[in-house]
Amino acid sequence: MSKVDKIKAEIESLPSEEFAEIFRWLSGNDWEKWDKEIETDSQAGRLDFLVREVLQEKVQGNLKTL
């Protein structure tokens, strides 16, 4: 049995409160990594195309005011 399989089995055997705690921790960890990736991509200019697309849509009058 792999280490991951052992961890999965342990997690599945947790009481619901502890399962929820692990879930919140993993979810928060995942969001933090995602935020760092977005920040890195933004600083490197890899998301500039999104700004150009939005500005083009604005010029064309395709954006709605919220």
Side-chain angles (χ1 to χ4, degrees), residues 2-64:
S2 75
K3 188 174 184 177
V4 171
D5 289 334
K6 289 177 187 176
I7 293 170
K8 286 179 182 179
E10 286 293 323
I11 290 172
E12 289 175 349
S13 70
L14 291 172
S16 60
E17 300 85 21
E18 291 179 357
F19 179 88
E21 183 180 343
I22 292 288
F23 178 80
R24 285 189 300 271
W25 177 77
L26 286 170
S27 180
N29 215 11
D30 188 48
W31 279 110
E32 285 178 26
K33 288 180 183 180
W34 175 255
D35 287 344
K36 288 176 185 174
E37 285 181 41
I38 293 292
E39 185 177 341
T40 299
D41 287 347
S42 177
Q43 290 173 352
R46 289 190 283 272
L47 302 178
D48 291 353
F49 74 96
L50 293 172
V51 174
R52 287 190 300 274
E53 286 180 19
V54 168
L55 292 175
Q56 183 178 5
E57 292 295 319
K58 182 178 179 182
V59 168
Q60 293 174 354
N62 295 330
L63 299 181
K64 296 180 182 178

